Amino acid sequence: MSMEEPRKPQATLELVAERAGVSRATVSRVVNGSDRVKAGAKKAVEQAIRELNYVPNRAARSLAQGRSNSIALVVPENTAKFFADPYFAKVVQGAAQYLAGTEFMLTLLLSTESDPAKTTRYLQGGNVDGALVLSHHADDQSYADLGALLPMVYGGRTMSTDQNEIYVVDIDNIAAARQATELIIDRGRSKLAMIAGPQDMGAGLDRLIGFQRAVQDAGLEPVAIEAGDFTPASGHQIMQQMIKNNIEFDGLFAASAQMGFGALQALAEAGISVPEQVSVTAVDDDSFARSSTPPLTTIAQFPERQGEIMAELLIKRIHGEQVPEWSIMDTKLVLRDSH
Amino acid sequence: MSMEEPRKPQATLELVAERAGVSRATVSRVVNGSDRVKAGAKKAVEQAIRELNYVPNRAARSLAQGRSNSIALVVPENTAKFFADPYFAKVVQGAAQYLAGTEFMLTLLLSTESDPAKTTRYLQGGNVDGALVLSHHADDQSYADLGALLPMVYGGRTMSTDQNEIYVVDIDNIAAARQATELIIDRGRSKLAMIAGPQDMGAGLDRLIGFQRAVQDAGLEPVAIEAGDFTPASGHQIMQQMIKNNIEFDGLFAASAQMGFGALQALAEAGISVPEQVSVTAVDDDSFARSSTPPLTTIAQFPERQGEIMAELLIKRIHGEQVPEWSIMDTKLVLRDSH
DNA sequence: TTGAAAGCGCTAACAT
DNA sequence: ATGTTAGCGCTTTCAA
């Protein structure tokens, strides 16, 4: 059905102006929704735009305005797991969805290990108006200084010290872990083990703290604590090891649903029944939590919403609005059969 | 530790030129790696760049060059599952990783249902030099015409007809499904059921065809075929239904590992043993395939590699190189315990 | 090998 | 309410 239509040259503001019989400035005003344009002129311009199928050139606009109308989503690549993790995927989705309703575009920035400075340079270069930073490990100090140059919003608390003006959207990981742990204790269990997260990440660290506090407050001692990397495989492997080491426990708190999922598998393989012999809870509610056997009792967070809030805050900051440095999101207890 | 350093104005080409004692043209040449620059001048410029911490402005460069040095990753948003699907996540990862080694940036373009024209307009507007399109449903005709205006590469075959010049990177879904099905038949099973994928997607359709051919070639008749949406939940639900309907089958082919995972759960819940009573295979090798009980025998595809190839082909096309319209990727048989 | 100068398409004073 | 004009920061002929 191709009509051999001669490929029209990309319409410009100037062309639209000519056709509508007005100046470029007027066209620009119409395009940008200024109200200082007579209805008649506006109509003419709009028609010309339609006829010419005009679309503004972003580069030109950016150059003239001195801003890019796009923001970066920075993803430390060392986190190869990043994309495999439903949590991050959802955060991205939430942010992208929010931005779809704005003038901003989302640029994916994989910060390569080979050349981390590349990312920094890009961010500094005025190529984006702000940045969303995810999966922030302790060694990612690279962006810390950028905070002064560019509005940034972090997903999950950073581990930086002596920093001011760090904008973070996160849940209260300590409280979440504590609550999940208490669930187990309330079941009358007293020999608690934990599969913790990476200790170079805020979420990993805080969930460990929450667990420890809950255990301590109950007058107990943890029987085992081992750190994984949030993946199902690590949960599986750690649990196998615990079993092999003949550790006696009747309760298990996993810092992520993915690790809980893996642990549950190892438990099943060893013929240990859940929740009868071991009561299990975790943080995160994702497809792993729902599809494990038995389904996991968890403290749910809402990653899409988190992404949305991150994007929203960033845009506000870009527009010069004041926003709180800390946005602590609510969590929700999801009772299933594992505890 | 903040030093109250006065925020330096963003360095420009001009500033660099002044400092290095050369013209802007020369700086531009150095920046762009031209060889028509004397070693001395080059050195001076490089030092000035370092001292001023100069980073080229993309918008200005784009405007001058008439190209954006960025490409879009188009994601039909109706695919809310998109981000939850490890397959897509990996494709994105592969593409992003490849692009990190080039001058191109990746812009995430969620094509919103509310305003699909927005995406089209953006793509047309010369804002990107090319586009990668994923998860292409039959009704996504929106981009079809764009192919003439902008280099595009699809992940997974499209369902468009009468189209020329559609560039696609995919596996041979028919062959993959056939192979997976034959595995079951080779086990001596003759009452085969299939959980198919969405019939408005190439992958869904082709895997059904492959299954049917294998069954037919063996002189058999399928005992049940039901289409899901590639998610674990749909696999679970469909299998429950089949069991409830007292369908007799001793072999099951699932069009995706995720659906196979769900089906395996339903089977287990019904006390049906795998592979003893039912032999199960699927296409896709992901965390679901690995973590199901029993682990799934599958035909693996390599989504990261697919993303990589997609990006590579797109860049080549942008640079005017000729590339084949069809890139069929190899698959690999992964034997596990489910069949 | 280098520089001068003309834009790229748009916005934003400033005038009118 | 609308037009004029001067850039935004860079690339790229064209001359030298």
Side-chain angles (χ1 to χ4, degrees):
Chain A
M1 213 58 109
S2 76
M3 284 294 179
E4 283 297 333
E5 209 160 338
R7 193 171 155 176
K8 294 177 202 157
Q10 185 64 287
T12 67
L13 230 193
E14 174 135 38
L15 259 20
V16 175
E18 275 174 24
R19 183 170 197 119
V22 300
S23 74
R24 298 186 306 173
T26 298
V27 177
S28 178
R29 290 192 184 96
V30 172
V31 168
N32 294 296
S34 160
D35 46 352
R36 314 203 146 282
V37 181
K38 266 225 204 97
K42 188 172 170 191
K43 267 220 139 64
V45 170
E46 280 168 344
Q47 180 171 351
I49 288 180
R50 228 173 300 118
E51 288 172 2
L52 295 171
N53 201 3
Y54 167 75
V55 184
N57 178 310
R58 278 178 81 80
R61 182 184 289 206
S62 292
L63 186 55
Q65 292 184 145
R67 58 203 187 84
S68 66
N69 281 326
S70 69
I71 71 176
L73 177 76
V74 181
V75 178
E77 187 199 35
N78 58 11
T79 320
K81 333 172 254 276
F82 176 82
F83 286 101
D85 192 330
Y87 168 77
F88 291 121
K90 295 255 179 206
V91 175
V92 177
Q93 182 182 13
Q97 228 142 29
Y98 178 84
L99 290 173
T102 73
E103 75 230 275
F104 289 89
M105 288 284 123
L106 223 212
T107 291
L108 208 57
L109 212 54
L110 284 214
S111 101
T112 58
E113 282 171 333
S114 49
D115 186 3
K118 195 179 167 190
T119 304
T120 316
R121 242 181 295 128
Y122 184 77
L123 292 176
Q124 281 180 328
N127 300 308
V128 291
D129 301 329
L132 259 20
V133 183
L134 282 178
S135 180
H136 191 258
H137 289 254
D139 52 337
D140 297 340
Q141 289 293 343
S142 11
Y143 321 123
D145 312 323
L146 280 174
L149 274 60
L150 193 74
M152 303 210 293
V153 172
Y154 289 85
R157 90 156 226 258
T158 76
M159 310 233 346
S160 312
T161 50
D162 70 21
Q163 288 287 327
N164 36 13
E165 299 256 4
I166 297 234
Y167 293 80
V168 175
V169 180
D170 204 353
I171 61 169
D172 183 339
N173 281 297
I174 296 180
R178 171 190 283 268
Q179 187 183 2
T181 307
E182 285 170 352
L183 247 26
I184 301 174
I185 295 172
D186 289 348
R187 283 286 196 244
R189 310 303 169 100
S190 58
K191 292 181 294 226
L192 306 202
M194 172 173 182
I195 299 180
Q199 293 304 296
D200 63 345
M201 293 181 69
L205 208 52
D206 288 348
R207 291 178 194 174
L208 172 57
I209 294 172
F211 169 77
Q212 287 171 321
R213 292 209 186 141
V215 171
Q216 188 169 14
D217 287 359
L220 303 171
E221 281 283 329
V223 296
I225 296 177
E226 209 63 56
D229 63 3
F230 280 150
T231 64
S234 71
H236 186 256
Q237 187 259 312
I238 289 172
M239 181 44 63
Q240 276 187 327
Q241 195 59 49
M242 284 185 179
I243 294 170
K244 193 167 157 194
N245 292 349
N246 288 315
I247 296 187
E248 283 196 29
F249 60 99
D250 54 15
L252 170 71
F253 167 55
S256 80
Q258 293 196 75
M259 293 196 296
F261 180 95
L264 247 22
Q265 285 188 312
L267 251 9
E269 287 159 15
I272 299 173
S273 66
V274 174
E276 292 76 11
Q277 292 175 266
V278 179
S279 173
V280 181
T281 62
V283 176
D284 281 344
D285 186 35
D286 54 25
S287 64
F288 288 92
R290 283 187 293 276
S291 63
S292 60
T293 349
L296 272 168
T297 287
T298 68
I299 307 299
Q301 48 180 333
F302 304 94
E304 284 122 312
R305 181 82 188 108
Q306 184 182 358
E308 207 179 309
I309 295 177
M310 288 173 64
E312 189 182 340
L313 292 182
L314 183 61
I315 302 303
K316 282 189 176 163
R317 289 198 54 208
I318 289 172
H319 288 145
E321 286 177 52
Q322 205 75 25
V323 303
E325 287 199 31
W326 286 89
S327 297
I328 302 301
M329 301 183 54
D330 285 338
T331 54
K332 186 180 149 214
L333 170 60
V334 178
L335 291 170
R336 295 213 181 82
D337 307 331
S338 67
H339 95 286
Chain B
M1 210 58 108
S2 75
M3 284 297 180
E4 284 295 331
E5 208 162 337
R7 192 173 155 177
K8 293 176 202 158
Q10 185 61 350
T12 66
L13 230 190
E14 173 135 38
L15 259 19
V16 175
E18 274 173 25
R19 184 171 197 116
V22 299
S23 73
R24 299 185 304 172
T26 299
V27 177
S28 177
R29 291 192 183 97
V30 172
V31 168
N32 295 295
S34 160
D35 45 352
R36 313 206 146 281
V37 180
K38 266 225 204 92
K42 187 172 169 189
K43 267 221 141 65
V45 170
E46 281 167 344
Q47 179 171 351
I49 287 179
R50 229 174 299 117
E51 289 172 3
L52 295 172
N53 201 3
Y54 167 73
V55 183
N57 178 311
R58 277 179 83 77
R61 182 182 285 200
S62 291
L63 186 56
Q65 291 184 145
R67 58 205 189 83
S68 66
N69 281 326
S70 70
I71 71 177
L73 177 75
V74 182
V75 179
E77 188 200 34
N78 58 11
T79 320
K81 333 172 257 275
F82 175 82
F83 286 101
D85 191 331
Y87 168 77
F88 290 121
K90 295 256 179 203
V91 175
V92 177
Q93 183 182 12
Q97 229 142 28
Y98 178 83
L99 290 173
T102 73
E103 76 230 276
F104 290 88
M105 288 283 124
L106 223 213
T107 292
L108 208 56
L109 211 55
L110 284 214
S111 100
T112 58
E113 281 172 333
S114 49
D115 186 3
K118 194 179 167 192
T119 305
T120 316
R121 243 181 294 127
Y122 184 78
L123 292 176
Q124 280 181 329
N127 300 307
V128 291
D129 301 331
L132 259 20
V133 183
L134 282 177
S135 180
H136 191 258
H137 288 255
D139 52 338
D140 297 339
Q141 288 293 343
S142 12
Y143 322 122
D145 312 322
L146 281 174
L149 274 62
L150 193 75
M152 304 210 292
V153 172
Y154 289 85
R157 90 156 227 257
T158 75
M159 309 232 346
S160 311
T161 50
D162 69 23
Q163 288 287 330
N164 38 12
E165 298 256 3
I166 298 234
Y167 292 79
V168 174
V169 180
D170 204 352
I171 60 168
D172 183 339
N173 282 296
I174 296 181
R178 171 191 283 267
Q179 187 183 3
T181 307
E182 284 170 351
L183 247 26
I184 301 173
I185 295 173
D186 289 347
R187 283 285 196 243
R189 308 304 168 99
S190 59
K191 292 181 295 229
L192 307 203
M194 170 173 184
I195 299 180
Q199 294 303 296
D200 63 346
M201 293 181 69
L205 208 50
D206 288 348
R207 290 177 196 174
L208 172 56
I209 294 173
F211 169 77
Q212 287 172 320
R213 291 206 186 146
V215 171
Q216 187 169 16
D217 287 359
L220 303 171
E221 282 283 328
V223 297
I225 297 177
E226 210 64 56
D229 64 3
F230 281 151
T231 65
S234 71
H236 187 255
Q237 187 258 312
I238 289 172
M239 182 45 63
Q240 276 187 327
Q241 196 57 48
M242 285 185 178
I243 294 169
K244 194 168 156 196
N245 292 350
N246 288 315
I247 295 188
E248 284 197 28
F249 60 99
D250 53 15
L252 171 71
F253 166 56
S256 81
Q258 294 196 74
M259 293 196 296
F261 180 95
L264 248 21
Q265 285 188 311
L267 252 7
E269 287 158 17
I272 299 173
S273 66
V274 174
E276 292 77 10
Q277 292 175 266
V278 178
S279 172
V280 181
T281 62
V283 176
D284 281 344
D285 186 36
D286 54 26
S287 63
F288 289 92
R290 284 186 292 276
S291 63
S292 60
T293 346
L296 271 168
T297 287
T298 68
I299 307 300
Q301 49 179 332
F302 304 94
E304 284 122 312
R305 182 81 187 108
Q306 183 182 358
E308 208 180 308
I309 295 178
M310 287 172 65
E312 189 182 340
L313 292 182
L314 183 60
I315 302 302
K316 282 190 176 163
R317 289 198 55 207
I318 289 172
H319 287 146
E321 287 177 52
Q322 205 75 26
V323 303
E325 288 197 32
W326 286 88
S327 297
I328 302 302
M329 302 182 54
D330 284 339
T331 55
K332 187 179 150 213
L333 171 60
V334 178
L335 291 170
R336 296 212 181 81
D337 307 331
S338 66
H339 96 286

